[in-house]
Each structure stands twice: as C-alpha cells, then as structure tokens.
C-alpha cells in the first residue's frame, strides 16, 4: 500500500505539494490535467511538466484521477471509435512517462452527487451530505448551478462548467441508453484499450457510481458487488480493475464493504477510504453525511476494511477521500488539507496495526 493524497494541480488546488509532502507517510499524489476536457488527447509535454513539478516537491505521481471518458463512448455514438483512439493515445503518452494507474468512471451525466457541500456538524466542521427529499425537490437541469453555488469558487471534479452548460443535451443523449447497453459500451471501451494497457502495464481502475443507485432516472451500473464482478469477468484482464471507494459503494448499506474487497482480490488497484454517517435510512428521507474517517464517528468499521485490503495483498495507492472542512480552512469542498491529513494518519495507523498483528501472529 502506498499512502497518497489527491492534488488538482497548482492552478486549481488550494493545497500545495509542499503541504502534502509534510503529511507523515504520504509519498505520492493522485493528480490529473484538470483543464483537459473528456475526449481530448493529453499532450506529452503537459504530462511531463506535471510529473516534473510533482517530483521537484519530493513526491511522485502514483496515479491519475481521472482520465474522464467522454459521453460519445458512454452512449455508444457513431463517433466513439475516434474518441477511443484519443483515449488510447492519452494512455500511450502516460505509459511513456511511467504512469501506470488510471482511475475513471462510467456514470452518465453527473459524477458524484450531493445535496449539501457544507452541512454543519455538532463540532462546527462542515461536510458533504446527501438527502433524498432534497434530491427529489431538485430539477436536474439546475443541479450544476446549485453545486456551483456551494463550491467556494472552486471547480468541482466531475462538474466542469463546460459540460454542465449542456446538461439538457446530455440528458437527451442518455435517454435511450439502458443499463445493459451502458454495460456493453463499457466492455467495448475496455476491450479496445486493453492492448495499450498491457503494453505499458497501465492498470485501469473504475470508480463506482456515487451514490450507488440511479439518480434523476439516469442508469448506473457500477454500484454493487454483483455489478463490479460482472465487469471483472467480462474483461478478464488484470488491467481491467477497480477503484474501491468505500464512500461510494458504502452509500448503499446492502454493500458489505469488507466482503466486496475480499471478492475483488487482485483486481483492486486503488482505494479511496472514507467513512459515512447515516442519519436516516428510510427510502423517502435517506440521509447521510461524510463524517471523519474514524470508525466511531460514522457507520463503517474502518478497521475491517483496512484489514481486508491488507489480507488480500492490496499494494496500490490508497487515499483518504473527502475530508471535513475544519479549523476554518477554505478550499474545495471535500478536498481541504487538514481533515484529509488526519485521515491519512488514521489509515496509516490502522495499516500499521494490522500489519504488525499479522507479522507477530497476534
Ligand atoms: C471522487 C469522484 O471527488 C469524488 O467524489 O471520488 O469525483 C471521482 O474522482 C471520479 O468519479 C473518478 O472518475
Ligand atoms: Mn471516491
């Protein structure tokens, strides 16, 4: 396991590489070319510059989150092959720079969805939260605007204004795509990119749907153990792997997280580990918030999750996922420095305890 933190690049992030370098145990960053649009080829010089900047700070690039997949590929449009070729070229350019982990998702229209980006908790920290009644009251056409209002002036990952400007068009594009078709489009895409992944040993790691069900009537397919195992079997190549995101799979309490980790042994290449606190689990008012990483602050048993990762031989990058906003920090919701640093330390502590217990046979 390698402890990492996500970093959006010096133009976009409120957190610096120097700060990340000082979090104990963090040796790498998960980053991206944040100003590229899905479908575009990543220029070799831009990748090189990013890599050098990270290395100059005493860190390295542990993986990319994300190389986003454009909508033509997801809906299976007639021009998808052209965009798949572009994706392959991007992978080629990353492979040449020795970057061997790529996280992506296959969610229609919206990436992660929350109804609040700064819910105040009893300790005064603020967190991202989801409430079903609030979702039901939102017109999806206004969703992007409402997210933007809550973004502290930052550009939220997956909510790029250029894409969101076409949200009605996007809904129309997906209206005739059902779950089975979406799955087949994903398989088509993966089969096409496997040769370049094999050439450079690039591990693709699909991020689950967040939340783990269909929102606004849009189909979602990567949200359960059965769904992800089906994908693993459909393209049975180690380079077709998984980003295990506890905060996304875990939104659906039917997902048994440690069990899923064990079922996916060998195919988890990247882990996002965070906790959630459920306040209401009735269908009409389903409500959860992103608590601190600590098990007792939320609903998940973080120890069991880390133990399952350790025992299945997980050796990829792990990162604390969204953190709370604490100590008056201002930044991108979910991506401040302080609480993610606390999360990294906590996860490192759990890992060390699990590892030493195993080594000492206790
Ligand atoms: C992330 C996702 O911030 C987040 O919630 O976990 O946006 C994730 O980066 C993408 O879905 C991966 O493609
Ligand atoms: Mn995640």
């Amino acid at each position: 396991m390698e402890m990492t933190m996500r970093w959006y690049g010096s133009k976009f992030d409120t957190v610096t590489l120097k700060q990340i370098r000082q979090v104990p145990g963090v040796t790498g960053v998960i980053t991206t070319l944040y100003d590229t649009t899905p479908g575009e080829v990543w220029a070799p010089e831009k990748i090189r510059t990013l890599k050098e900047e990270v290395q100059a700070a005493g860190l390295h690039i542990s993986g990319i989150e994300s190389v986003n997949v454009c909508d033509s590929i997801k809906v299976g449009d007639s021009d998808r092959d052209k965009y798949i070729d572009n994706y392959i070229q991007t992978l080629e350019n990353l492979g040449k720079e020795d970057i061997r982990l790529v996280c992506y998702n296959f969610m229609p229209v919206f990436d992660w969805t929350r109804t609040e980006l700064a819910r105040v908790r009893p300790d005064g920290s603020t967190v991202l939260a989801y409430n079903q009644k609030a979702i039901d009251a939102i017109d999806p056409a206004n969703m992007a605007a409402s997210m933007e209002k809550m973004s502290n002036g930052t550009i939220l990952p997956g909510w790029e204004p250029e894409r969101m400007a076409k949200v009605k068009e996007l809904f129309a594009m997906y209206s005739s795509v059902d779950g089975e078709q979406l799955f087949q489009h994903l398989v088509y895409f993966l089969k096409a990119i496997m040769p370049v992944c094999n050439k450079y040993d690039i591990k693709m790691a699909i991020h689950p749907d967040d939340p783990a069900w269909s929102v606004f009537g849009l189909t979602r397919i990567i949200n359960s153990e059965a769904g992800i195992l089906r994908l693993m079997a459909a393209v049975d190549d180690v380079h077709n792997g998984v980003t295990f995101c506890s905060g996304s799979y875990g939104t659906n309490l039917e997902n048994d997280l440690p069990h899923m980790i064990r079922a996916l042994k060998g195919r988890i290449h990247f882990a996002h580990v965070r906790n959630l606190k459920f306040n209401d689990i009735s269908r009409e008012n389903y409500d959860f918030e992103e608590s601190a990483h600590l098990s007792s602050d939320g609903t998940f048993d973080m120890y069991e999750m880390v133990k399952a990762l350790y025992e299945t031989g997980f050796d990829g990058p792990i990162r604390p996922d969204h953190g709370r906003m604490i100590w008056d920090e201002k930044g991108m919701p979910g991506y401040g420095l302080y609480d993610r640093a606390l999360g990294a330390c906590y996860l490192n502590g759990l890992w060390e305890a699990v590892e030493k217990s195993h080594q000492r046979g206790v």
Side-chain angles (χ1 to χ4, degrees), residues 257-359:
L257 302 174
H259 188 272
M260 289 181 79
I261 293 172
R262 291 178 197 279
L264 286 162
K265 181 174 177 174
R267 299 297 279 273
I268 299 180
H269 302 318
F270 183 27
H272 291 178
V273 185
R274 70 175 133 100
N275 202 350
L276 298 177
K277 181 175 191 303
F278 287 82
N279 299 311
D280 194 331
I281 53 168
S282 67
R283 187 185 279 259
E284 330 65 69
N285 197 36
Y286 202 73
D287 186 283
F288 63 82
E289 58 199 36
E290 300 182 353
S291 63
H293 284 70
L294 192 72
S295 298
S296 60
D297 198 45
T299 300
F300 303 154
D301 187 331
M302 305 297 281
Y303 166 77
E304 285 299 337
M305 243 190 296
V306 169
K307 188 161 175 275
L309 284 168
Y310 178 85
E311 288 175 352
T312 49
F314 172 71
D315 66 354
I318 188 169
R319 68 169 182 79
D321 213 345
H322 302 167
R324 304 165 303 147
M325 242 358 127
I326 58 172
W327 303 337
D328 300 324
E329 185 177 14
K330 301 248 176 307
M332 186 189 294
Y335 286 100
L337 171 66
Y338 305 139
D339 197 45
R340 286 189 302 144
L342 293 177
C345 292
Y346 174 64
L347 295 173
N348 270 329
L350 285 176
W351 189 274
E352 181 179 342
V354 169
E355 187 168 53
K356 289 191 172 160
S357 304
H358 269 266
Q359 286 164 355

Side-chain angles (χ1 to χ4, degrees), residues 7-22:
W7 182 67
Y8 290 98
S10 37
K11 269 208 301 204
F12 300 98
D13 212 312
T14 51
V15 178
T16 64
L17 288 171
K18 182 177 173 197
Q19 289 168 324
I20 293 176
R21 173 83 176 82
Q22 293 171 355

Side-chain angles (χ1 to χ4, degrees), residues 6 65 103 112 207-208 210 243-248 270-274 319 321-322 335:
R6 191 176 191 180
E65 177 175 353
C103 170
W112 55 284
H207 190 280
D210 185 4
T243 297
F244 189 83
C245 178
S246 63
S248 303
F270 183 27
H272 291 178
V273 185
R274 70 175 133 100
R319 68 169 182 79
D321 213 345
H322 302 167
Y335 286 100

